[in-house]
Amino acid sequence: MLNTELPSEEHAALDQYPTADLVDTLIADQFNAVQAVRNATPSITAAIEAAAPRIAAGGRLIYVGAGTSGRLGVLDGVELYPTFSWPHERALSLLAGGKGAMFQAVEGAEDDRQQGGADLLELLPQANDVVLLLAASGTTPYVLGALDAANASGALTIGIANNAGAPVVAGAQIGITLDTGNEVISGSTRLKAGTAQKIVLNTISSAIMVRLHKVYGNLMVDMQPTNIKLVQRAVALTMHATGADEAAAREVLEQCGFHVKVAIVALLRKQPVAQAQALLARTDGSVRAALSAP
């Protein structure tokens, strides 16, 4: 059996635990997910270094998975727009069973290898695309079909699984093994296996966005202020980066559609918004480069 499927011998009487002990056991096991990701640091680093230039050259992030793994891919892609203003059409997700499987399990869909390949090909993958293929088992046919199609297209493939030697890891150009072992609730890979996948997806996509100059220092300066909370966050980030008071920060932000990086450059260089925008365009959107430009 796969390690992720093996029954755990450590908590054989889990159903008899007092609630406090049950909660403590479930939480404690999650720390193993963090360690599994740490152990995979070299392969995660290699994935980011290979992916970032392709994305910078116009490639797309494409997530592929089934069940929990697929839903985590959808989540990571969806959150890139409000956090980093990443275009929706450049963060695509394929979930076995289609969009409806996001809300209701379509378990049999993951067994269709041919459909995985067909769904991937419908996206017309290109050489600069980065395809992230997730499967806790590493053997999911739908994901393996997409892997074959992505490899044939010349796209960069990154296979992520929770079992050593998994086909999705071995068949990808870069493989990431998150060896989380068996689960407290045997076979329920929505637990620490899912947590490890969430961490690695957060790490890969966030690191790529940092490399694309969507972060200045450790501030997210390319966010979308799509609600009151995020408008307030844009003001706070601009104040923090520039030392401007709230009135000054808000005034400049209103002139540039609450684009934080433009406001920062305009305030620190004491330039009109239009000049700040032009300067950022010349420096590939890098606030740091714009501030040091002659």
Side-chain angles (χ1 to χ4, degrees):
M1 294 181 67
L2 298 171
N3 284 342
T4 50
E5 304 294 330
L6 286 172
S8 172
E9 298 180 0
E10 190 174 356
H11 300 285
L14 187 72
D15 60 336
Q16 297 178 309
Y17 285 13
T19 302
D21 291 345
L22 177 60
V23 170
D24 183 67
T25 298
L26 291 168
I27 293 173
D29 198 46
Q30 294 292 317
F31 287 97
N32 293 316
V34 177
Q35 189 57 51
V37 178
R38 284 192 177 277
N39 292 342
T41 293
S43 55
I44 296 169
T45 301
I48 293 164
E49 291 183 341
R54 289 171 169 83
I55 299 301
R60 301 170 295 176
L61 288 166
I62 301 174
Y63 302 82
V64 183
T68 297
S69 299
R71 295 183 191 101
L72 289 170
V74 172
L75 178 63
D76 197 71
V78 166
E79 291 182 340
L80 294 180
Y81 176 73
T83 309
F84 300 111
S85 295
W86 190 247
H88 295 296
E89 64 273 16
R90 293 184 66 191
L92 306 175
S93 301
L94 295 178
L95 178 59
K99 293 181 179 179
M102 188 71 189
F103 305 100
Q104 183 171 344
V106 185
E107 296 296 348
E110 71 174 53
D111 297 327
D112 194 337
R113 185 167 184 151
Q114 184 175 358
Q115 190 63 53
D119 287 351
L120 195 284
L121 289 176
E122 280 190 9
L123 301 181
L124 302 176
Q126 306 293 322
N128 282 327
D129 289 338
V130 176
V131 184
L132 297 139
L133 303 115
L134 299 114
S137 67
T139 63
T140 305
Y142 179 88
V143 177
L144 293 177
L147 172 63
D148 291 341
N151 278 334
S153 75
L156 174 67
T157 54
I158 300 172
I160 302 169
N162 297 84
N163 287 291
V168 75
V169 171
Q173 293 167 46
I174 297 175
I176 299 174
T177 299
L178 307 172
D179 190 4
T180 47
N182 56 19
E183 299 283 357
V184 169
I185 299 176
S186 301
S188 182
T189 51
R190 62 181 289 271
L191 297 177
K192 68 173 177 284
T195 299
Q197 290 180 2
K198 179 69 166 66
I199 295 171
V200 79
L201 287 177
N202 276 346
T203 301
I204 291 172
S205 61
S206 297
I208 290 172
M209 295 300 141
V210 171
R211 290 288 172 258
L212 295 178
H213 310 305
K214 292 179 175 295
V215 173
Y216 170 54
N218 65 346
L219 306 178
M220 60 178 203
V221 294
D222 215 358
M223 55 174 283
Q224 284 290 321
T226 53
N227 57 40
I228 293 173
K229 176 191 72 176
L230 293 176
V231 167
Q232 292 172 338
R233 185 175 298 168
V235 174
L237 289 168
T238 303
M239 292 170 61
H240 181 84
T242 65
D245 60 28
E246 181 174 354
R250 187 176 290 273
E251 180 182 0
V252 175
L253 282 165
E254 287 174 348
Q255 295 173 21
C256 62
F258 281 81
H259 196 175
V260 176
K261 61 166 56 177
V262 174
I264 291 172
V265 173
L267 284 164
L268 289 180
R269 289 184 64 107
K270 297 181 172 57
Q271 292 179 330
V273 162
Q275 289 184 24
Q277 290 170 327
L279 187 54
L280 282 164
R282 293 199 303 272
T283 57
D284 293 325
S286 169
V287 171
R288 198 171 295 280
L291 291 176
S292 61

